[in-house]
Amino acid sequence: MSRPVAVVTGASGGIGEATARRLAAEGFEVVLGARRLERVQAIAAEIDGRALPLDVTDPASVAAFAAEIPACEVLVNNAGGALGTDPVLGADEDGWRWMYEANVLGVVRVTKALVDRLEASGDGRIVVIGSIAGFEIYPGGGGYIAAKHAVSAVAKTLRLELLGRPIRVTELQPGMVETDFSKVRFGGDEARAAEVYRGMTPLVADDVADVVAFAVTRPAHVDLDQIVLRPRDQVTARDVHRAD
Ligand code: NAP
């Protein structure tokens, strides 16, 4: 019997990779998309999945990606991230533009491209990896916060617009997860990235993958609209318990 197909964007590392591995273990044929093709190819080979090049900020790349996927039941919109910590009044517009493109328009593009196949499956599931930055604010987070607030609005609007059609929409809003997220945000500065998690126990990518797997394996009439998950050591973006 053929396996149901789950598409994961940004599956070359972090939360996307963990989600791809977990969904494969749940019995899905996983299609992994990312810009670093060799990384998704290596992961796909381990989990009997398929790897495709994908840049969610590029409409032509998204169209080519979707053209290779004739059927799918689950779409995990995970690709994204943060760049820098510039204050609003010092906004680097290129960085802010990238964050909007990747975190917001990327989700819209990939979802538009695959929605007919999700619907045809009879039980489509769209997961959006948002963030606590989708409903909280902190100084220096403006560009990322604006983007994650926007994608939260998109997820909620989509849920409303899909009412009556066989597609569920779940927005996951994680707090601190130790991945390459902070390294990317700080331009590869590993010491600065490590400082983010100093003295506290963050979530790991598998913790988020676990929740994605739970959400997409509920019965078809159950929609987990919004899920917030954080480390025990974190209550808000700014209230973090550190042991030192
Ligand atoms: P990560 O380790 O840096 O992974 C980011 C993934 O996104 C990579 O696989 C990357 O692959 C992919 N990606 C980035 N830009 C892309 C593009 N234009 N097209 C396709 N793929 C792209 O960080 P992560 O923590 O796993 O982040 C995954 C998601 O979780 C993001 O949406 C992030 O905002 C969200 N999130 C993270 C945290 C956290 O604390 N880590 C908390 C809340 C939410 P390539 O570079 O190979 O393209």
Side-chain angles (χ1 to χ4, degrees):
M1 257 182 54
S2 63
R3 294 171 290 167
V5 172
V7 174
V8 181
T9 71
S12 59
I15 294 168
E17 174 181 352
T19 299
R21 290 184 184 279
R22 178 60 192 271
L23 293 181
E26 294 283 341
F28 288 92
E29 178 188 354
V30 181
V31 180
L32 300 92
R35 295 168 301 178
R36 289 171 295 176
L37 182 60
E38 66 296 342
R39 289 183 69 144
V40 273
Q41 282 172 333
I43 300 160
E46 287 178 35
I47 62 173
D48 193 19
R50 291 176 63 206
L52 294 170
L54 174 66
D55 181 347
V56 298
T57 68
D58 175 1
S61 171
V62 172
F65 178 75
E68 295 292 322
I69 304 169
C72 73
E73 287 199 10
V74 171
L75 166 62
V76 182
N77 281 302
N78 164 76
L83 284 185
T85 52
D86 40 319
V88 173
L89 296 180
D92 167 46
E93 288 192 22
D94 286 339
W96 283 48
R97 198 170 289 112
W98 181 84
M99 287 188 274
Y100 196 82
E101 276 283 343
N103 292 290
V104 187
L105 293 180
V107 171
V108 173
R109 263 183 211 117
V110 178
T111 303
K112 275 173 74 181
L114 291 175
V115 73
D116 59 342
R117 278 143 271 188
L118 291 163
E119 182 160 23
S121 77
D123 181 20
R125 280 144 277 171
I126 298 167
V127 178
V128 174
I129 305 297
S131 166
I132 59 168
F135 59 91
E136 289 189 13
I137 54 166
Y138 52 93
Y144 183 62
I145 289 164
K148 289 300 194 189
H149 270 64
V151 78
S152 183
V154 167
K156 284 184 274 205
T157 307
L158 190 59
R159 168 92 171 95
L160 196 55
E161 291 175 352
L162 288 172
L163 187 62
R165 292 162 68 179
I167 306 176
R168 299 183 250 167
V169 181
T170 296
E171 183 190 11
L172 234 75
Q173 300 182 300
M176 294 158 83
V177 190
E178 192 164 12
T179 61
D180 283 346
F181 176 86
S182 295
K183 279 181 221 158
V184 172
R185 178 171 221 169
F186 300 133
D189 184 338
E190 303 216 357
R192 200 172 164 201
E195 190 60 23
V196 172
Y197 313 107
R198 176 185 49 79
M200 56 87 65
T201 305
L203 299 176
V204 294
D206 281 340
D207 298 323
V208 183
D210 202 26
V211 178
V212 174
F214 179 79
V216 303
T217 54
R218 294 311 86 205
H221 67 285
V222 179
D223 194 306
L224 292 168
D225 288 2
Q226 236 177 351
I227 305 171
V228 179
L229 64 154
R230 314 185 206 234
R232 188 180 63 193
D233 284 343
Q234 180 184 32
V235 177
T236 73
R238 301 173 75 176
D239 293 285
V240 177
H241 169 73
R242 299 188 193 274
D244 52 9

